[in-house]
């Protein structure tokens, strides 16, 4: 019987190992930027072509390498960081396993130019699929200039599963941001297809944050600085009024390394639980420095998960540091000189009393277009005389909203429209019904002449982050088709001069920002077109809300428009709009 177990060829083993380290173009960016930082660079340039598919170039002014070091750097487990096993537990640099460059070279075509300050001539090294094609002297600047081309060219299946250019570029931007937030004393730039997305000078951490996420972010930042024998916590948390519906700007760093840590995240968010609305998130940028011997950064190939020896103690220190920072801010803003001691923390009520919006300020406006008048036959609608005894006019319980009724409908708790039908009672979720109506109106817009745009008296200028600017470029044609007039003013700002008539009265800046955030969090799929995806998001965000009281005419119009839709039962994402409680079920209650 022949042997079954065999050693893998080096080429196959290298590709398998590379798969753990190099998952997508952003992985290459991360490894090359970290190498440049470890080389003591003060200026690092990142140039991307086609979201990293075609080329990823990183140029630094670090110490560079000799011709021997350049060749050894591409050998697996070759590293300048470790000489003995104990060195693993006292690391203060980024990479250390000697896998980054060999992994990159295994799945791409690599060209490296490097020179040390003391050398007059540098070295050029060309490698393809782990094989050295050429090495020769060359004239070049001090530092390293490494160009990675045609990523996964020798792994077609892996290359096929890369996402869209927009998605991959967003991953690169996120990786870039996580690194530059740790090193404000280093100048960085990021260019994509010749367009500069970031040009960051050497500065302070606070200025670096505002350079990345917008100047407005600076006014919300509150500094943290708590030092104990166990750890040193620094950075910034945001004021409660900076809370938003997405958590894109939440960063933890440990000893200069970005990490994900749900347990520590809870320590921060627990302080804000009664200060911000439920479901919203607070931005934070928190740096935890600990003794390297007390953490393990090698539990995951990407090193974004870190195990701490004293997690519970650090949790308490972190929560206390954030609480003290918020307390100082709260005290300063109250200007109450007669109130001593700790500031009172206001309690946020997640269930405020609904406010009527059926005045001229209402977000819901009936559409005067003709609608079917016989939709009730679908549900064998009862007569108004039959329904009159169902809705007593006496006061409801204290916590129940006074119902609004019409000849055909009743609104219950500002959420449901109740309509008697022969088979029982039909409940219509008003937000979901309006969402379905708006979605079908948006998605049926096939050409600009079918859109209904309301021009704004004053244009809304919106400053975008680099990520949002990339996404805006992608969804702008769709927004214009849906009725928006938007002009690009610069690489990171736009002016909104017109909006769809259906969203009049909305906070335009907030709406556009949320649309971009949703676009960032969703992947392109063949099943759902970009226009369909944006139409879903827009319909959900602009539909009448829970708690919005409707007049009898508005209820009639909403129900009639719903039954003109192609699907009256489900929202675009499949949630139920209508539910009927059968008459026999009602009778059993009595």
């Amino acid at each position: 019987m022949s042997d079954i177990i065999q050693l893998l060829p080096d080429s196959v083993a290298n590709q398998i190992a590379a798969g753990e380290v190099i998952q997508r173009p952003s992985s290459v960016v991360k490894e090359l930027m970290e190498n440049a930082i470890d080389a003591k660079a003060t200026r690092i340039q990142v140039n991307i072509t086609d979201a990293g598919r075609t080329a990823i170039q990183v140029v630094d002014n670090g110490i560079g390498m000799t011709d021997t070091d350049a060749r050894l750097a591409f050998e697996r487990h070759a590293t300048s960081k470790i000489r003995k096993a104990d060195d693993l537990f006292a690391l203060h640099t980024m990479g250390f396993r000697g896998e980054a460059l060999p992994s990159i070279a295994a799945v791409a075509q690599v060209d490296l130019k490097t020179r040390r300050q003391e050398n007059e001539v540098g070295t050029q090294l060309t490698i393809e699929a782990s094989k050295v094609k050429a090495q020769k002297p060359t004239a070049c600047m001090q530092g390293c200039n490494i160009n990675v081309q045609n990523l996964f060219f020798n792994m077609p299946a892996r290359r096929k599963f890369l996402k869209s250019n927009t998605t991959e570029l967003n991953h690169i931007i996120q990786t870039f941001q996580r690194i530059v937030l740790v090193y404000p004393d280093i100048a960085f730039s990021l260019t994509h297809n010749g367009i500069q997305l970031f040009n960051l000078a050497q500065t302070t951490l606070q200025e670096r944050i505002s350079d990345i996420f917008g100047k407005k972010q600076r006014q919300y930042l509150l500094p943290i600085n708590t030092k104990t024998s166990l750890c040193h916590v620094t950075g910034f948390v945001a004021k409660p009024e900076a809370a938003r519906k997405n958590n894109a700007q939440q960063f933890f760093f440990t000893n200069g390394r970005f990490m994900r840590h749900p347990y520590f995240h809870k320590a921060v968010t627990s302080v804000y639980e009664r200060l911000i609305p439920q479901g919203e998130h607070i931005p934070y940028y928190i740096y935890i420095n600990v003794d390297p011997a007390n953490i393990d950064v090698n539990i995951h190939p990407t090193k974004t998960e870190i195990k701490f020896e004293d997690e519970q103690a650090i949790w308490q220190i972190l929560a206390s540091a954030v609480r003290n920072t918020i307390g100082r801010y709260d005290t300063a803003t109250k200007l109450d000189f007669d109130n001593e001691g700790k500031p009172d923390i206001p309690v946020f009520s997640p269930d405020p009393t609904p406010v009527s919006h059926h005045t001229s300020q209402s977000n819901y406006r009936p559409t005067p277009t003709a609608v079917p008048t016989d939709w009730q036959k679908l549900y064998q609608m009862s007569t108004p005389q039959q329904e009159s005894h169902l809705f007593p006019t006496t006061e409801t319980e204290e916590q129940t909203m006074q119902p609004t009724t019409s000849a055909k409908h009743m609104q219950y708790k500002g959420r449901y429209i109740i309509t008697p039908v022969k088979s029982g009672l039909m409940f219509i979720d008003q937000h979901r019904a309006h969402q379905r109506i708006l979605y079908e109106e948006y998605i049926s817009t096939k050409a600009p002449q079918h859109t209904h745009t309301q021009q704004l008296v004053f244009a809304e200028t919106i400053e975008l982050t680099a990520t949002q600017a990339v996404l805006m470029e992608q969804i702008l044609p769709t927004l214009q088709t849906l009725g928006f007039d938007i002009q690009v003013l610069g690489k990171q700002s736009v002016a909104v001069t017109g909006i769809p008539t259906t969203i009049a009265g909305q906070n335009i800046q907030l709406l556009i920002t949320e649309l971009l955030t949703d676009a960032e969090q969703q992947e392109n799929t063949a099943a759902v077109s970009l226009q369909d995806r944006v139409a879903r998001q827009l319909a959900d965000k602009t539909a009448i809300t829970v708690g919005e009281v409707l007049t009898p005419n508005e209820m009639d119009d909403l129900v009639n428009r719903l039954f003109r839709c192609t699907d009256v039962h489900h929202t675009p994402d499949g949630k139920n709009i209508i539910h009927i409680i059968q008459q026999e079920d009602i009778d059993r209650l009595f």
Side-chain angles (χ1 to χ4, degrees):
M1 181 176 179
S2 60
D3 295 332
I4 298 176
I5 298 176
Q6 299 179 9
L7 290 174
L8 287 172
D10 287 344
S11 59
V12 176
N14 287 340
Q15 289 186 11
I16 293 173
E20 296 181 358
V21 180
I22 308 303
Q23 300 172 347
R24 60 196 330 154
S26 61
S27 305
V28 177
V29 173
K30 173 182 179 294
E31 299 294 350
L32 297 184
M33 289 183 70
E34 289 181 349
N35 282 350
I37 292 167
D38 285 342
K40 300 180 174 58
T42 60
R43 185 181 66 256
I44 300 173
Q45 301 168 271
V46 182
N47 303 315
I48 306 297
T49 304
D50 298 332
R53 279 182 168 84
T54 301
I56 300 169
Q57 181 186 36
V58 175
V59 182
D60 70 69
N61 65 344
I63 60 174
M65 292 183 283
T66 65
D67 53 354
T68 302
D69 285 344
R71 183 68 174 264
L72 283 175
F74 288 92
E75 297 295 330
R76 195 162 300 281
H77 306 308
T79 175
S80 62
K81 318 291 175 58
I82 301 172
R83 292 295 180 267
K84 57 184 183 299
D86 289 346
D87 292 343
L88 282 170
F89 305 100
L91 286 164
H92 295 274
T93 52
M94 304 296 284
F96 57 84
R97 287 178 306 210
E99 295 182 2
L101 290 179
S103 295
I104 294 169
V107 292
Q109 298 163 332
V110 179
D111 183 79
L112 168 68
K113 294 179 181 179
T114 182
R115 182 176 70 83
R116 295 176 64 88
Q117 183 180 17
E118 55 268 33
N119 298 129
E120 294 183 1
V121 178
T123 297
Q124 182 175 4
L125 186 65
T126 304
I127 300 179
E128 182 177 304
S130 298
K131 296 180 180 179
V132 177
K133 297 294 184 180
Q135 181 171 358
K136 60 184 180 181
T138 189
C140 61
M141 301 292 291
Q142 176 191 331
C144 282
N145 180 338
I146 185 166
N147 196 354
V148 177
Q149 297 180 328
N150 300 320
L151 185 64
F152 300 131
F153 80 99
N154 56 343
M155 300 176 69
R158 189 67 175 270
R159 188 176 175 91
K160 176 183 176 182
F161 280 96
L162 290 177
K163 303 296 183 181
S164 68
N165 277 6
T166 300
T167 299
E168 295 299 341
L169 180 58
N170 283 335
H171 281 288
I172 290 172
I173 291 174
Q174 289 174 4
T175 296
F176 181 86
Q177 290 173 343
R178 291 168 182 174
I179 293 175
V180 302
L181 283 171
V182 180
Y183 299 95
D185 56 331
I186 299 178
F188 293 91
S189 68
L190 175 62
T191 301
H192 180 247
N193 289 347
I195 300 174
Q196 191 171 75
L197 303 180
F198 292 97
N199 186 14
L200 307 173
Q202 294 173 310
T203 185
T204 64
L205 176 59
Q206 188 175 28
E207 287 293 336
R208 176 60 56 87
I209 292 171
S210 64
D211 287 343
I212 296 172
F213 299 111
K215 298 298 181 183
K216 291 183 180 179
Q217 187 69 10
R218 184 176 180 179
Q219 64 185 312
Y220 297 120
L221 299 179
L222 301 173
I224 295 178
N225 193 345
T226 299
K227 192 170 188 177
T228 71
S229 59
L230 188 61
C231 65
H232 186 192
V233 179
T234 59
F236 295 91
V237 294
K239 300 174 184 177
E241 54 262 39
R244 57 195 64 187
K245 292 182 179 179
N246 66 84
N247 58 355
Q249 295 177 26
Q250 295 179 330
F251 296 90
F252 274 122
F253 303 94
T254 296
N255 294 359
R257 188 188 307 278
F258 170 79
M259 71 167 181
R260 294 186 178 91
H261 208 294
Y263 185 56
F264 289 169
H265 170 76
K266 183 62 178 176
V268 177
T269 57
S270 64
V271 180
Y272 288 89
E273 281 181 350
R274 298 192 300 166
L275 298 175
I276 64 176
Q278 186 176 5
E280 294 196 356
H281 306 272
I282 200 76
Y284 60 75
Y285 315 85
I286 296 177
Y287 301 75
I288 304 173
N289 287 320
V290 297
D291 184 342
N294 295 333
I295 60 173
D296 184 1
V297 300
N298 202 25
I299 61 175
H300 191 273
T302 61
K303 302 192 280 287
T304 56
E305 299 174 18
I306 298 177
K307 183 175 178 58
F308 289 76
E309 188 174 302
D310 302 294
E311 285 191 343
Q312 285 189 324
I314 295 177
W315 194 100
Q316 296 293 341
I317 294 169
L318 186 56
S320 176
V322 176
R323 190 177 298 110
N324 290 340
T325 295
I326 297 300
R328 289 194 302 270
Y329 161 71
D330 190 49
T331 302
T333 54
K334 283 189 174 182
L335 298 177
D336 185 357
F337 299 102
D338 296 325
N339 183 20
E340 297 181 355
K342 292 185 177 180
D344 294 327
I345 298 178
V347 177
F348 169 74
S349 173
D351 188 22
T353 303
V355 179
S356 174
H357 294 282
H358 63 269
T359 64
S360 60
Q361 299 298 319
S362 173
N363 289 331
Y364 176 71
R365 290 170 175 77
T367 302
T369 55
V371 296
T373 57
D374 58 349
W375 62 264
Q376 297 95 331
K377 294 179 181 179
L378 297 174
Y379 292 90
Q380 295 181 309
M381 179 73 181
S382 64
T383 64
Q385 288 77 12
Q386 288 176 302
E387 66 189 57
S388 61
H389 71 280
L390 293 173
F391 308 124
T393 57
T394 57
E395 291 187 0
T396 58
E397 295 180 2
E398 185 173 309
Q399 294 182 344
T400 304
M401 181 190 304
Q402 182 69 31
T404 302
T405 62
S406 71
K408 298 178 181 178
H409 315 293
M410 164 187 166
Q411 187 185 32
Y412 179 64
K413 287 194 173 182
R415 179 171 183 177
Y416 303 106
I417 295 173
I418 304 177
T419 296
V421 292
K422 188 171 182 179
S423 58
L425 284 178
M426 178 168 65
F427 285 72
I428 300 174
D429 186 303
Q430 67 183 42
H431 171 77
R432 294 180 181 179
H434 198 208
Q435 184 182 354
R436 163 54 67 176
I437 293 166
L438 293 177
Y439 166 75
E440 294 207 4
E441 290 179 358
Y442 292 140
I443 206 65
S444 65
T445 304
K446 301 298 183 183
Q449 60 265 32
H450 294 147
T451 62
H452 301 282
T453 301
Q454 174 180 316
Q455 296 299 318
L456 301 178
V457 178
F458 300 103
E460 285 264 4
T461 301
I462 303 176
E463 298 295 328
L464 306 175
T465 65
T467 300
Q468 290 171 338
V470 171
L471 292 166
M472 177 58 78
E473 183 180 350
Q474 180 192 21
I475 71 171
L476 182 58
T478 298
L479 292 177
Q480 291 171 334
T481 300
L482 295 175
F484 286 90
D485 278 347
I486 300 178
Q487 281 79 44
V488 178
L489 300 179
K491 64 180 181 181
Q492 287 185 218
S493 63
V494 296
V496 182
T497 58
I499 58 175
T501 54
T502 53
I503 67 170
Q506 292 279 332
N507 183 326
I508 303 304
Q509 182 159 345
L510 179 62
L511 177 63
I512 294 294
T513 301
E514 289 183 350
L515 285 173
L516 291 170
T517 298
D518 289 345
E520 179 182 357
Q521 295 173 347
Q522 296 187 40
E523 302 284 357
N524 280 329
T525 64
V528 181
S529 68
L530 179 61
Q531 180 173 343
D532 187 274
R533 189 152 49 91
V534 174
R536 291 185 185 192
Q537 296 164 2
L538 194 58
D540 180 50
K541 296 182 186 307
T542 57
I544 53 177
T545 59
V546 174
E548 186 166 340
V549 178
L550 303 180
T551 65
N553 285 340
E554 288 173 339
M555 284 190 286
D556 291 342
D557 180 77
L558 182 69
V559 174
N560 286 333
R561 291 171 67 195
L562 172 65
F563 280 89
R564 192 175 61 184
C565 293
T566 58
D567 182 352
V568 302
H569 293 283
H570 303 99
T571 63
D573 52 356
K575 295 178 181 176
N576 289 333
I577 298 173
I578 293 174
H579 180 76
I580 296 179
I581 300 179
Q582 299 297 321
Q583 185 62 47
E584 53 265 31
D585 293 330
I586 298 174
D587 292 338
R588 276 197 290 268
L589 297 175
F590 302 93

